[in-house]
Amino acid sequence: MKKIILTGDRPTGRLHLGHYVGSLKRRVELQNSGEFDKVFIMIADAQALTDNADNPEKIRQNIIEVALDYLSCGLDPEKSTIFIQSQISELTELTFYYMDLVTVQRLQRNPTVKQEIQLRGFAENNDAGDNRPGIPVGFFCYPISQAADITAFKATTVPVGEDQEPMIEQTREIVRKFNSVYAPVLVEPDILLPDNNACRRLPGTDGKAKMSKSLGNCIYLSDCEEDVRKKVMSMYTDPLHVQVSDPGHVEGNTVFTYLDAFCCPDHFSEFWPEYASLDELKDHYRRGGLGDVKIKKFLNSVLQCQLAPIRERRKELEKDIPYVYDVLRKGSEQAREVAARTLSEVKHAMRIDYFDDEELMRSQALKFKAE
């Protein structure tokens, strides 16, 4: 079996550090590893519209922002197929067929769906006093749509953040159900989580559980140097660490979580040679006598080191936007060819490929002739 990757992002805004450490950086590494036969990277605009139907221009404008972030981080169109979800109509058809394999009750139990419903402020019932908007059907069916995305390309591996585990499990359930009811056509994917636990769910700069565009607690990959510095220096730390002399808490401290995600030994020799390692820095902070400002300045240096080459590549790409659109057009054409082959196999397994089944036509003709 070929080893194939499928992953992507919703174009609801520019990509941030949570995207980068949670999946994007790993995608580039896997793309360049030579381990996989094919890598598909999807800009999930159709899914983004499920809760942005009143603002399609927002999604339209952010297609290019996400594409620029992808290319700036090192995704190579010669090695990865970068495409736009809405341009692959076969995904919609697959979603429709998979809907028959999933119950409403199963979707309601999906932890990621429940969390996202709460995050976006959708009403989960029809109480007369609840003025919140209802849940769009397309948004509610996101796990089924994602299963179509993954299976259309027969992905064996899906590199995502920890919050997407329930979604991948639901895809696996759909694959198993389809293969048992119809024929073993679909491939059951494996999830690939970041090796570094700190990268699995990077908190926002305000200490919230998740970095999120809607919460305004993001550091974007395209942020200028000064914006990154300001955001780092305003980061949430240990509220009990009032005086420099006070013992500090590392666990739950956003600054140290970011250091766990981004820092490497070379950063100390370059930016803070007083310490040999992150563990040594943590020990000093726990004892007391180390101020938050110094640690934030160190983190800023670490992040600027990571983001500088990404910024430079983005500046160059911004000079040739037609090239970026050409990458997306060619990638979408290539992706559609693959998805069309899978859809054909699915329809054959479901016995709804009527006009391709010559044996069916012959047998029907003989049946009615005999009658």
Side-chain angles (χ1 to χ4, degrees):
M1 182 183 296
K2 290 185 177 181
K3 298 182 70 175
I4 299 170
I5 285 176
L6 183 284
T7 187
D9 300 280
R10 289 160 42 102
T12 54
R14 297 170 294 157
L15 300 185
H16 52 63
L17 289 181
H19 294 116
Y20 183 68
V21 297
S23 177
L24 185 48
K25 183 179 180 182
R26 189 70 177 277
R27 295 176 204 172
V28 175
E29 294 170 351
L30 294 171
Q31 164 199 268
N32 295 332
S33 69
E35 180 184 350
F36 291 87
D37 298 281
K38 199 69 179 175
V39 178
F40 292 96
I41 310 293
M42 180 179 72
I43 301 179
D45 62 326
Q47 171 52 33
L49 285 168
T50 61
D51 58 327
N52 288 277
D54 59 342
N55 192 4
E57 189 60 26
K58 168 187 174 184
I59 306 304
R60 184 180 179 86
Q61 294 297 325
N62 280 316
I63 291 287
I64 196 67
E65 293 285 357
V66 173
L68 285 167
D69 284 331
Y70 281 169
L71 298 172
S72 299
C73 287
L75 287 176
D76 184 349
E78 296 298 321
K79 299 177 181 178
S80 296
T81 302
I82 306 172
F83 67 97
I84 302 175
Q85 183 186 33
S86 64
Q87 304 307 296
I88 319 298
S89 58
E90 288 79 4
L91 301 179
T92 306
E93 191 169 349
L94 285 171
T95 300
F96 182 78
Y97 297 143
Y98 293 170
M99 285 181 179
D100 297 329
L101 306 175
V102 183
T103 65
V104 170
Q105 291 77 12
R106 176 62 182 91
L107 289 174
Q108 289 173 328
R109 293 198 304 271
N110 187 303
T112 303
V113 172
K114 293 167 68 174
Q115 181 184 43
E116 293 297 328
I117 286 172
Q118 293 174 357
L119 181 64
R120 286 163 175 76
F122 291 135
E124 298 186 57
N125 52 53
N126 293 321
D127 290 346
D130 197 336
N131 295 321
R132 294 177 298 166
I135 305 167
V137 173
F139 184 85
F140 185 64
C141 294
Y142 176 25
I144 305 175
S145 172
Q146 190 176 68
D149 299 334
I150 294 169
T151 58
F153 303 98
K154 299 194 174 181
T156 57
T157 305
V158 184
V160 290
E162 187 178 44
D163 61 322
Q164 289 295 306
E165 281 191 277
M167 308 295 268
I168 305 304
E169 180 52 37
Q170 188 129 44
T171 295
R172 293 164 64 88
E173 290 176 11
I174 290 172
V175 169
R176 290 193 289 266
K177 184 69 177 289
F178 183 95
N179 287 348
S180 66
V181 171
Y182 299 112
V185 168
L186 303 179
V187 175
E188 196 169 327
D190 291 322
I191 190 171
L192 183 62
L193 295 170
D195 294 330
N196 185 338
N197 286 333
C199 298
R200 294 192 175 188
R201 192 185 292 262
L202 195 71
T205 55
D206 56 358
K208 300 290 185 182
K210 184 180 179 181
M211 183 174 284
S212 168
K213 292 184 283 284
S214 60
L215 295 176
N217 58 3
C218 304
I219 295 177
Y220 294 100
L221 299 176
S222 55
D223 277 344
C224 69
E225 186 173 349
E226 179 59 18
D227 285 345
V228 172
R229 187 194 68 79
K230 288 179 179 178
K231 291 178 180 181
V232 171
M233 298 309 294
S234 65
M235 263 188 182
Y236 177 85
T237 56
D238 177 10
L240 300 178
H241 190 242
V242 180
Q243 303 292 331
V244 172
S245 57
D246 292 338
H249 297 84
V250 170
E251 293 71 21
N253 188 320
T254 304
V255 176
F256 279 100
T257 302
Y258 276 61
L259 287 174
D260 282 329
F262 289 97
C263 185
C264 65
D266 288 346
H267 289 136
F268 284 97
S269 59
E270 184 174 357
F271 303 120
W272 209 352
E274 183 179 343
Y275 299 94
S277 67
L278 184 55
D279 287 337
E280 192 175 306
L281 179 65
K282 288 179 178 179
D283 287 341
H284 189 173
Y285 188 76
R286 290 189 181 102
R287 293 194 307 270
L290 183 58
D292 290 313
V293 171
K294 285 187 176 182
I295 301 172
K296 288 180 178 181
K297 287 181 176 179
F298 175 60
L299 174 60
N300 178 59
S301 297
V302 170
L303 293 181
Q304 300 290 2
C305 183
Q306 293 266 335
L307 293 174
I310 296 175
R311 283 195 211 103
E312 289 305 309
R313 284 194 292 268
R314 187 183 175 99
K315 286 179 182 178
E316 291 303 311
L317 288 163
E318 287 173 350
K319 297 175 183 177
D320 192 0
I321 295 301
Y323 162 75
V324 180
Y325 273 107
D326 193 50
V327 166
L328 296 176
R329 179 182 58 80
K330 290 179 179 178
S332 296
E333 290 171 353
Q334 294 166 8
R336 188 167 190 187
E337 290 178 6
V338 177
R341 288 196 294 270
T342 300
L343 177 61
S344 178
E345 293 176 17
V346 164
K347 295 176 76 170
H348 179 72
M350 295 177 69
R351 303 182 67 78
I352 57 175
D353 58 337
Y354 308 112
F355 305 126
D356 296 328
D357 191 341
E358 294 183 3
E359 179 59 33
L360 171 66
M361 289 184 276
R362 281 196 299 268
S363 65
Q364 292 289 332
L366 290 172
K367 171 186 173 183
F368 286 102
K369 184 177 181 179
E371 293 177 354

